Amino acid sequence: MNHVDIWIDNTPVSVAADKTIMQAAEQIGIRIPRLCYHPELSIEGACRVCIVEVEGVNKFLASCANKVWAGMRVKTNSPEIRQARRDIVELILDNHPMECQTCERDGNCELQDLAYSQGVRERVFEGKRKRHAIEASSASVIRNAEKCILCRRCVRVCSEVQGIHNLSQLHRGFHTVVAPAFEDAMVDSVCINCGQCINVCPTAAFLEKPHTEAVWAALADPKKFVVAHTAPAIRAALGEGFNLAPGTPCVGKTVTALRRLGFDAVFDTNFGADLTIVEEANEFVHRLEKGENLPLLTSCSPGWIKFMEHFYPEMIPYASSCKSPMSMLSTLLKTYYAEKEGKDPHDIFVVGIMPCVAKKFEAERPELCLSDGTPYTDAVLTTRETIWMIKAYGINFVHLPDGEFDNPLGYSSGAADIFGTTGGVMEAALRTAAEKLTGEPLTDLNFTEVRQAEGLKEATIRIGDLDVNVAVANGLNNAKIILDKVKAGDKQYHIIELMACPGGCIGGGGQPYPPEGYYVLDREINKLRAQALYSIDEMKKVRTSHNNPFIKQLYQDYLGEPGGDKAHHVLHTTYTPREPRGIK
Amino acid sequence: MDAKAHKLDHDIVEFINQCREQEHPDSYLIAVLHKVQNRYGYLDKEHMAEVAQRMQVPTSTVSGVATFYHFFRLQPKGKYHISICLGTACFIKGADKVLDAFRTELGIELGETTADELFSLDSSRCLGVCALAPVVLINEQVFSKVSAKQVPQLLNKVKEQELV
């Protein structure tokens, strides 16, 4: 690429000719203020916050949307620019509730930070305010259009990354609102509850449905036996909420923190993950031997599952019937564990600690309830909600001693830990399936071919005398690509891992808002979180799900054979096509 | 209404199919929506959903386009369609106040239809009879030099006709 010489605030910069002014400024360590811009999404140029002055150009240019040219002289901080930028932010604020102290994102809001950094110290413009009711029909995602500043990041992530196209700008001018088609309630839309709109939103126009009050209430209820179980991806990200560096594993502290919060028992969703692998590998080997319903599509990600029901209902027979690790563990808690401990399942309150917003929807699925309609999972706390509860209680997380999970549903193999990152379910399944197919232990447990998929990765794995074609997709636009290839029938895939969120669960819709220096959908932060999981896996004695001694015991005592009647009844589920039908 | 009543007519489906063979099929969305509105008088939600499916354009995009352009109606026209001229001459002569009176009397906004489907409200630009400003059109009938005060009377007259 050709380089051009330009000047930014009198500093000479040599920059590739295809770069924008904003990127050129970053090269010399100047971060031009911004709002609608997002490095992983298309350029919008809507908010005008990133304007700069360019010599010889008689208007201010949006630095995110304009490329550099040779000899260009840019001013990022002239008095005129500073004034204009502040005016722009003031005008945005004029149509914003300004309820910072009672807002979920107080202290963690890009608009708030921007107003502060631009020196907005008083309310200058007092105009008409848009009025919209809070839309809370969804089990997972709450839409609050009054706080929306029309940056369209949610619209872009929903279409460009996830391929859902659920959100669009409707109406025009002052009446513009971001909503599903026809302003339908989220619950009646094609929303798959991934929560990426929540993550990219600079304000609080999208939030997860809070379960914190329900959990506080259960913890205070002496009649309830309140148990938590924590998803693999939690241990790689929870520490970020307490200023620990991204990628700091903090499973022991998390267990202690949950006990201090008052949970009567703390289990590991990982145990459910090991169980998922035993069941899913069994299902896979069966299908492989019979040559039926291939490729097998994994079923852990509730966002992907709802996506399939709206967009690819014809693929339902290919999906694994395994419940997700969360639902497997919750089911066991209200069946096996309740029986063993002599408890009424209705007295057990199960809380899933999840990186995921869609898990809140999954918990409400009627298929995942006791026959009287009591859900197996009573509440789902996102990583963010969990961090908030720990802070609200006043627990000094960083200095907590490490705790241990309760057993038998708290012991897990390393295969379960890597569930939290893209390729992890695949690798865990391959470890078990390979040993099952060949009857011999693997010499190398690391299937690095399926790791770190940047969206989509394919590989062919030699197992015994079989070539197994595998694919890993994260982000649902990539799911579309691989499913369309499956439907075209050019290649026989045998097993495909699908995760709704980019990077897998570590990039989930319920994960912490990124710490300074990182951004949402940042591949770097997801790499660090993934490394945390791989390091935990490496350190474990048992690294294959089927060799987890407590899993073996559970089959002996309660479940019978993998894929057998009892196991099927307890651990498997069904899917149904959903309306409205998604547009592929 | 049953689902069948909402199926798009055969010729419109045919038109959509032709559009899909063009180079940029999505760019025909507005043309398709015009056809639908011409046929049925407005854009029904079920029709828009069917357009989205047939064109494979996201339903939210169809909804976005339909709500962006004022020409598209999202409710059926009333039996009496009231169109208030907001052209320069009419506006100077107080058409905005006339419009407000209709809004208050009918309890609907521009582009909307009363619950009994008797009246719908719209605006138009210059009708070329500025000497009669402000001008209100109710179906084909022209009412000239209308004042805000006259609006209740005007509506009552229509309602009386309705009872006969």
Side-chain angles (χ1 to χ4, degrees):
Chain A
M1 176 56 64
N2 285 341
H3 273 62
V4 295
D5 293 322
I6 69 168
W7 282 263
I8 298 178
D9 299 335
N10 296 322
T11 305
V13 196
S14 173
V15 59
D18 65 340
K19 296 289 181 208
T20 61
I21 301 171
M22 183 184 274
Q23 289 168 323
E26 265 161 26
Q27 210 171 299
I28 57 162
I30 294 174
R31 189 180 188 278
I32 296 172
R34 64 203 57 184
L35 198 51
C36 69
Y37 172 79
H38 191 285
E40 294 289 323
L41 303 173
S42 65
I43 296 297
E44 185 73 28
C47 75
R48 317 309 293 175
V49 168
C50 70
I51 48 169
V52 292
E53 204 177 317
V54 177
E55 207 175 278
V57 178
N58 63 0
K59 58 179 181 182
F60 298 146
L61 296 182
S63 62
C64 70
N66 283 279
K67 296 215 165 113
V68 295
W69 63 77
M72 172 185 246
R73 284 176 181 272
V74 180
K75 284 184 190 164
T76 68
N77 269 284
S78 66
E80 292 77 15
I81 276 289
R82 294 184 63 81
Q83 179 67 48
R85 222 181 257 149
R86 186 160 63 232
D87 287 347
I88 288 166
V89 178
E90 281 168 354
L91 281 164
I92 294 171
L93 288 174
D94 170 50
N95 200 5
H96 193 76
M98 302 269 270
E99 294 162 355
C100 293
Q101 293 89 339
T102 52
C103 179
E104 197 78 23
R105 291 204 60 172
D106 189 14
N108 214 337
C109 168
E110 290 182 46
L111 184 60
Q112 199 179 43
D113 291 348
L114 189 68
Y116 176 75
S117 72
Q118 297 316 297
V120 180
R121 296 291 178 268
E122 58 185 323
R123 197 157 186 148
V124 182
F125 304 107
E126 283 287 353
K128 205 170 153 190
R129 277 261 323 277
K130 60 181 164 200
R131 296 288 174 191
H132 295 283
I134 292 174
E135 211 284 278
S137 64
S138 157
S140 296
V141 181
I142 293 178
R143 187 172 67 82
N144 183 352
E146 276 197 4
K147 292 190 177 168
C148 174
I149 54 164
L150 303 176
C151 70
R152 280 174 57 100
R153 280 195 200 167
C154 55
V155 173
R156 284 177 281 159
V157 82
C158 191
S159 55
E160 294 169 14
V161 176
Q162 297 297 53
I164 309 299
H165 301 279
N166 185 45
L167 298 172
S168 181
Q169 272 187 347
L170 308 181
H171 304 286
R172 59 151 72 181
F174 185 76
H175 302 285
T176 308
V177 63
V178 170
F182 317 122
E183 279 179 83
D184 279 347
M186 291 288 270
V187 71
D188 298 323
S189 74
V190 291
C191 174
I192 54 123
N193 303 314
C194 70
Q196 291 301 333
C197 52
I198 303 172
N199 280 2
V200 297
C201 181
T203 72
F206 286 96
L207 289 175
E208 66 260 61
K209 172 146 306 167
H211 285 186
T212 47
E213 284 310 310
V215 174
W216 288 126
L219 288 169
D221 184 346
K223 290 197 291 291
K224 291 280 180 200
F225 186 77
V226 190
V227 302
H229 58 93
T230 69
I234 298 294
R235 61 211 68 196
L238 198 84
E240 289 167 26
F242 306 95
N243 298 326
L244 295 174
T248 308
C250 50
V251 59
K253 290 187 198 304
T254 306
V255 174
T256 308
L258 292 171
R259 289 199 202 283
R260 296 267 165 97
L261 278 174
F263 284 94
D264 296 301
V266 182
F267 297 110
D268 199 348
T269 317
N270 277 19
F271 186 87
D274 273 337
L275 205 50
T276 301
I277 285 303
V278 172
E279 286 296 318
E280 203 165 85
N282 179 71
E283 199 179 7
F284 175 55
V285 168
H286 261 273
R287 290 196 199 179
L288 207 56
E289 282 168 355
K290 284 194 178 167
E292 269 177 12
N293 284 352
L294 291 170
L296 179 130
L297 309 176
T298 62
S299 58
C300 314
S301 163
W304 141 246
I305 288 295
K306 189 160 185 270
F307 171 80
M308 174 180 73
E309 292 175 327
H310 281 289
F311 288 75
Y312 287 86
E314 68 276 16
M315 300 306 277
I316 287 177
Y318 297 90
S320 162
S321 60
C322 287
K323 290 180 185 173
S324 73
M326 175 184 92
S327 289
M328 280 200 183
L329 201 76
S330 296
T331 307
L332 282 175
L333 283 164
K334 290 204 178 175
T335 54
Y336 162 76
Y337 183 80
E339 283 170 37
K340 197 168 82 70
E341 299 289 313
K343 290 187 191 301
D344 179 346
H346 299 91
D347 293 336
I348 304 178
F349 191 90
V350 177
V351 181
I353 312 283
M354 298 288 141
C356 181
V357 178
K359 287 284 175 202
K360 291 175 188 270
F361 172 81
E362 181 185 314
E364 289 186 9
R365 278 180 179 258
E367 316 84 271
L368 301 173
C369 293
L370 288 159
S371 54
D372 67 356
T374 309
Y376 286 122
T377 312
D378 296 280
V380 171
L381 296 176
T382 61
T383 321
R384 286 189 293 265
E385 287 176 284
T386 311
I387 291 167
W388 177 78
M389 284 185 76
I390 294 169
K391 285 184 175 170
Y393 197 101
I395 294 167
N396 189 342
F397 185 84
V398 179
H399 294 108
L400 287 177
D402 284 348
E404 296 274 343
F405 287 114
D406 290 299
N407 268 327
L409 305 176
Y411 184 90
S412 64
S413 77
D417 290 292
I418 58 174
F419 255 64
T421 179
T422 172
V425 176
M426 176 64 74
E427 185 166 347
L430 288 172
R431 289 179 190 176
T432 291
E435 296 200 349
K436 211 172 155 109
L437 280 165
T438 60
E440 287 167 24
L442 285 163
T443 45
D444 182 7
L445 287 169
N446 298 333
F447 289 88
T448 49
E449 309 91 311
V450 297
R451 289 186 184 179
Q452 298 201 345
E454 296 239 330
L456 193 58
K457 206 166 180 182
E458 296 186 30
T460 301
I461 314 264
R462 188 80 183 164
I463 298 178
D465 47 8
L466 269 176
D467 276 330
V468 179
N469 292 328
V470 310
V472 170
N474 62 76
L476 291 167
N477 254 340
N478 296 310
K480 282 186 183 178
I481 295 171
I482 195 71
L483 291 175
D484 289 342
K485 282 170 96 169
V486 169
K487 286 174 71 179
D490 301 337
K491 178 175 162 189
Q492 175 64 61
Y493 294 92
H494 296 106
I495 179 167
I496 301 176
E497 178 204 286
L498 299 119
M499 294 289 157
C501 291
C505 310
I506 47 171
Q511 290 286 57
Y513 295 116
E516 195 157 342
Y518 297 94
Y519 53 86
V520 176
L521 301 171
D522 192 336
R523 287 153 211 263
E524 288 311 309
I525 202 166
N526 281 346
K527 259 185 212 157
L528 294 169
R529 289 169 178 171
Q531 272 165 19
L533 298 179
Y534 285 120
S535 71
I536 299 174
D537 169 36
E538 289 282 346
M539 286 187 299
K540 282 204 173 165
K541 265 204 296 267
V542 179
R543 293 182 62 204
T544 46
S545 300
H546 57 288
N547 288 321
N548 177 339
F550 289 93
I551 294 275
K552 288 182 184 172
Q553 193 67 41
L554 181 68
Y555 275 102
Q556 249 173 44
D557 294 351
Y558 187 72
L559 290 170
E561 285 295 308
D565 281 350
K566 177 86 176 184
H568 207 273
H569 179 71
V570 178
L571 304 176
H572 290 250
T573 185
T574 52
Y575 315 110
T576 352
R578 276 178 201 273
E579 297 286 342
R581 202 60 98 225
I583 307 281
K584 288 172 192 161
Chain B
M1 267 189 269
D2 66 316
K4 267 190 188 147
H6 286 291
K7 283 273 178 222
L8 289 171
D9 286 347
H10 180 72
D11 59 317
I12 294 179
V13 172
E14 214 25 62
F15 179 68
I16 292 174
N17 291 340
Q18 282 167 22
C19 292
R20 291 205 71 189
E21 286 161 25
Q22 307 298 319
E23 202 179 339
H24 298 291
D26 292 9
S27 68
Y28 289 83
L29 175 59
I30 289 178
V32 170
L33 290 179
H34 276 307
K35 274 226 182 313
V36 175
Q37 175 156 304
N38 279 346
R39 177 68 45 86
Y40 307 101
Y42 73 109
L43 297 177
D44 181 86
K45 181 176 159 179
E46 308 292 328
H47 282 148
M48 285 191 276
E50 190 180 338
V51 166
Q53 287 296 336
R54 289 191 183 277
M55 294 190 77
Q56 284 292 295
V57 171
T59 320
S60 61
T61 305
V62 176
S63 179
V65 167
T67 54
F68 184 86
Y69 294 105
H70 291 148
F71 185 81
F72 291 124
R73 290 188 61 80
L74 302 171
Q75 293 180 8
K77 274 188 186 175
K79 185 170 178 189
Y80 298 95
H81 186 64
I82 303 166
S83 183
I84 299 146
C85 179
L86 294 179
T88 312
C90 287
F91 199 90
I92 288 169
K93 288 283 200 174
D96 55 333
K97 292 179 190 77
V98 176
L99 170 60
D100 278 343
F102 275 110
R103 271 193 189 128
T104 321
E105 284 297 314
L106 297 171
I108 55 172
E109 291 298 314
L110 279 177
E112 292 182 351
T113 304
T114 53
D116 58 6
E117 296 194 0
L118 205 53
F119 296 103
S120 50
L121 201 56
D122 236 330
S123 66
S124 61
R125 294 296 174 254
C126 189
L127 299 172
V129 282
C130 303
L132 306 179
V135 176
V136 170
L137 213 58
I138 301 183
N139 291 346
E140 305 295 304
Q141 208 180 338
V142 179
F143 295 85
S144 54
K145 299 190 174 170
V146 180
S147 71
K149 251 204 223 152
Q150 290 172 318
V151 167
Q153 271 171 276
L154 206 62
L155 287 172
N156 277 335
K157 230 158 84 184
V158 176
K159 281 180 195 158
E160 275 163 27
Q161 259 179 42
E162 191 57 19
L163 292 174
V164 176

